[in-house]
Amino acid sequence: MLQLISLLVENKPGALMRITGLLSARGYNIESLTVARTLDPTLSRMTIVVDIEPQLRSQVIKQMNKLVNVLQASDLTDSPAVKREMALLRVRAPLASRTAILKEAEIFGARVVDSSTEGFALEVTGDSEKLDEFLDVMRSYGEIEVTRSGALAISLEAKKLRLAPPVPRNAAVDEADEKLETRH
Amino acid sequence: MSTSTVHRTSGVTESKLMSGSQILLECLVRENVDCIFGYPGGVTLPLYDALYDHPIRHILVRHEQNAAFAAEGYARSTGRVGVCCATSGPGATNLVTGLVDSMMDSIPVVAITGQVSTKLIGSDAFQEADTFGITRSCTKHNFLVKTIAELPQVVHEAFYIASSGRPGPVLVDIPKDVFQAQAHYTPVSSIHLPGYKVFTEGHTGQIRRAAQMIWESRRPFVYAGGGIIAADASEELREFVELVDAPAVTTLMGLGGLPAEHPNYISMPGMHGSYASNMGMSGADLLIALGVRFDDRVTGRLAAFAPHAKVIHVDIDPAEIGKNRVADLPIVGDVKRVLDKLNKVLHELAPQAREQNAPARADWWRQIHDWKAEHPLLPEVSTSEIKPQHVMREIDRLSGGRAIVTSDVGQHQMWAAQFIRFNSPRLWINSGGLGAMGFGLPAAIGAQFARPDKLVFSIVGDGGFQMSIPELATIANHALPIKIIVVNNGYLGMIRQWQELFYNNRISQAELNSFPDAEKLAAAYGFKGRTIDGAHQLAPALEEAVREPGPYLLNVRVARYENVYPMVPAGGAINEMVLGPPQPVEA
């Protein structure tokens, strides 16, 4: 069964590698992964869907929380959360089926983002199952080309964010300077 | 050789124009680094130029892997951060085994590596390797420093991460142009790593519950590990063990955490642990696990491990709790602080609680003593040949629980752990988790530099010794008075043991021929060496080695087919020990 993980991470080179490395080292396959900056540009929000045996899930979350660049990793699999995915697709639409395609798009809440004599480009959002269905329907009209974003998720419970405070590095400095002075 | 810490900072508090190399060295001084183990190379030339007349001591090893091991020896024998340094490409890749080793055993090490200039990164430049990528999984954290502006901050962050929480290795990769660049340097006053959380205090309620569980227990058993050493908690552990009067074992990583001569101390548990240790764990109703990780070499078959015991697990790393064994009562915190608080609560509760299970506790101790008497852990000794266990007994006699002993990996490591007593922490230095052969000799170099006052034995097998044989030059170079004891059976002994026991005695590629003449080998480096093969020679030869003011290489030809017992076969439960070799059937 798939696990849904939400991470708040420092927006730094290597942060993504540490997280994916932790999963690949254990042989877990990532189903989807999305990353983008948060309101605070020094941080990124990451949503990962990954196939992990249920009994090992908490261990993976703990290992993620240990990473220096990770501010918070939480398992949203079984907690109240909204999950959305987006798909962009192009469908070839001969004149005869154009109206039908637009009707189906309307049912699924998809939007036309480009229209040409060849056909349509559509965007659709929803949970993964809804997207699967929509793509199945569109495929029945002919060849389609699809790009999916992977899951985005937000917890419906406020998660308390515990951050480490700054650490003074004065002790060593003072001590070293003191020793220096006693030498003179 | 000197223990005095180098304290010579630039002495400036306002900004001063300095090169990246100078800034790095300045930061190292401010982290109280007095010695670096390393090997120069093309891209670290600017750094080595700055080192030329800098008070920080640089120890030139003969291979970068040994720089990492020596830094570990330094760290393991002192608790301070060990520092190693290597150039880009092959220099950095050679550090990898040492980094993984310190990761596995939670040893604070900072590795400085040179990198090709920032403009060349990613161009397959000469001696370029993706050090940042390669070392991601073998460090606690790593940094690639792209600008001189971030250098001081990064260096201090590296030391903080390496030495705090659960210690570990941190690598700082510095491109050549960052070493060469000039910048105004201002000392760093604080660092901020918002995602790096260290849990030290331990939950007060959990500690109180632990104290109740401990007093309620009829058959308590203390299982203490490397965390006790890392947290400098041996005093607290001793107080705890005495207060509770429970039998205690220390793991391979925890030897010396409780004095071997302490009356409550049993021995090392696990695959080659004593009968009493393993039976004790298996019979306990409460296992008090302190700074341990329920390693497979300790637990044997996990499902059958300590089947009657509730578990109190204290560890600073939350990810260790419940990783292998579910804890009935987890306490995340620094084991020193947790034990300190726990001891207070136990003390407080003692007047009412101490007597409640006194008869059961007395029975438990009787049982432990019976197990000890039934199959005591005693060294094999023979007059016709040198038993490797006999070597350990003699080293133990000379050490008296006080010498530093580094070991390599294999049979000799297990015999040393079984038969040499350690009465304080940071004396026993070995590659526990990784089992990295070649560790013993360079680790002794690091330990002897860190502790010039100490008698240092480096007990190595003939296999591992030959993996780091070039370091004899480093030892000779600095006249380090290390006593190298080669436990030489002409085999990769542990491999041979397993092939004998589990692969129909088909000894495949485990025999080591052509061992060099130890006397000539040592003489070639300008120090003393000798080979012995008679049991009567053992004690005098070891005494001679210890008397020698300089290095000494003692090659001890031991019984070739000796196996380590007790032994829990792989996948077995720890109370299903093989206690000795099959006895010959009488006709």
Side-chain angles (χ1 to χ4, degrees), chain B residues 405-432:
Chain B
V405 176
T406 76
S407 93
D408 219 84
V409 172
Q411 287 185 317
H412 69 278
Q413 178 188 25
M414 292 299 107
W415 285 314
Q418 287 177 335
F419 300 118
I420 300 178
R421 290 161 302 160
F422 298 97
N423 283 332
S424 44
R426 304 203 175 281
L427 296 177
W428 167 243
I429 294 172
N430 83 135
S431 168

Side-chain angles (χ1 to χ4, degrees), chain B residues 500-553:
Chain B
E500 179 192 319
L501 298 175
F502 308 114
Y503 292 87
N504 293 321
N505 204 24
R506 286 152 57 90
I507 307 304
S508 180
Q509 300 299 314
E511 190 167 6
L512 297 170
N513 295 313
S514 309
F515 191 82
D517 179 316
E519 193 175 342
K520 286 186 188 162
L521 178 65
Y525 284 101
F527 58 87
K528 281 194 188 161
R530 184 182 170 193
T531 297
I532 56 166
D533 57 8
H536 63 284
Q537 296 171 294
L538 182 59
L542 281 167
E543 283 161 20
E544 184 191 319
V546 171
R547 268 198 310 273
E548 173 66 26
Y552 199 101
L553 175 63

Side-chain angles (χ1 to χ4, degrees), chain B residues 228-306:
Chain B
I228 296 290
I229 314 277
D232 186 25
S234 41
E235 270 312 308
E236 289 76 5
L237 175 63
R238 181 214 292 262
E239 194 191 332
F240 171 75
V241 164
E242 286 171 2
L243 191 54
V244 179
D245 193 23
V249 293
T250 51
T251 66
L252 185 67
M253 287 307 300
L255 296 180
L258 187 67
E261 283 163 12
H262 194 281
N264 290 50
Y265 182 68
I266 302 178
S267 77
M268 174 177 80
M271 182 175 270
H272 295 296
S274 71
Y275 182 75
S277 292
N278 288 351
M279 293 307 284
M281 284 211 164
S282 305
D285 71 349
L286 178 68
L287 200 59
I288 304 145
L290 305 168
V292 294
R293 58 187 178 91
F294 293 84
D295 178 64
D296 59 82
R297 285 298 186 269
V298 169
T299 63
R301 180 153 42 86
L302 203 51
F305 176 69

Side-chain angles (χ1 to χ4, degrees), chain B residues 155-356:
Chain B
V155 175
H156 291 299
E157 286 175 3
F159 275 83
Y160 174 63
I161 294 169
S163 57
S164 57
R166 179 178 182 172
V170 178
L171 180 135
V172 183
D173 198 27
I174 306 174
K176 187 176 187 181
D177 55 333
V178 174
F179 281 128
Q180 288 169 320
Q182 302 267 323
H184 284 278
Y185 167 74
T186 319
V188 171
S189 58
S190 85
I191 52 178
H192 191 200
L193 299 161
Y196 179 64
K197 285 148 278 188
V198 179
F199 305 90
T200 52
E201 292 309 316
H203 190 277
T204 315
Q206 293 287 83
I207 291 172
R208 185 155 279 278
R209 274 186 284 280
Q212 280 155 358
M213 275 171 82
I214 289 165
W215 282 132
E216 279 160 18
S217 154
R218 300 159 66 87
R219 300 187 306 280
F221 200 86
V222 177
Y223 160 35
I228 296 290
I229 314 277
D232 186 25
S234 41
E235 270 312 308
E236 289 76 5
L237 175 63
R238 181 214 292 262
E239 194 191 332
F240 171 75
V241 164
E242 286 171 2
L243 191 54
V244 179
D245 193 23
V249 293
T250 51
T251 66
L252 185 67
M253 287 307 300
L255 296 180
L258 187 67
E261 283 163 12
H262 194 281
N264 290 50
Y265 182 68
I266 302 178
S267 77
M268 174 177 80
M271 182 175 270
H272 295 296
S274 71
Y275 182 75
S277 292
N278 288 351
M279 293 307 284
M281 284 211 164
S282 305
D285 71 349
L286 178 68
L287 200 59
I288 304 145
L290 305 168
V292 294
R293 58 187 178 91
F294 293 84
D295 178 64
D296 59 82
R297 285 298 186 269
V298 169
T299 63
R301 180 153 42 86
L302 203 51
F305 176 69
H308 313 294
K310 288 195 166 171
V311 172
I312 297 174
H313 190 180
V314 182
D315 205 283
I316 196 158
D317 179 0
E320 282 305 332
I321 307 285
K323 185 180 82 175
N324 293 333
R325 167 77 180 241
V326 173
D328 298 274
L329 189 97
I331 301 175
V332 177
D334 181 321
V335 71
K336 185 184 179 76
R337 303 207 193 177
V338 171
L339 277 179
D340 185 49
K341 290 181 187 173
L342 181 58
N343 287 343
K344 289 197 175 87
V345 182
L346 283 166
H347 202 78
E348 214 176 276
L349 299 178
Q352 303 90 40
R354 198 191 288 275
E355 292 309 312
Q356 63 181 331

Side-chain angles (χ1 to χ4, degrees), chain B residues 487-500:
Chain B
V487 182
N488 188 339
N489 58 6
Y491 282 112
L492 295 170
M494 195 60 97
I495 299 295
R496 190 201 48 72
Q497 175 169 346
W498 282 61
Q499 288 176 339
E500 179 192 319

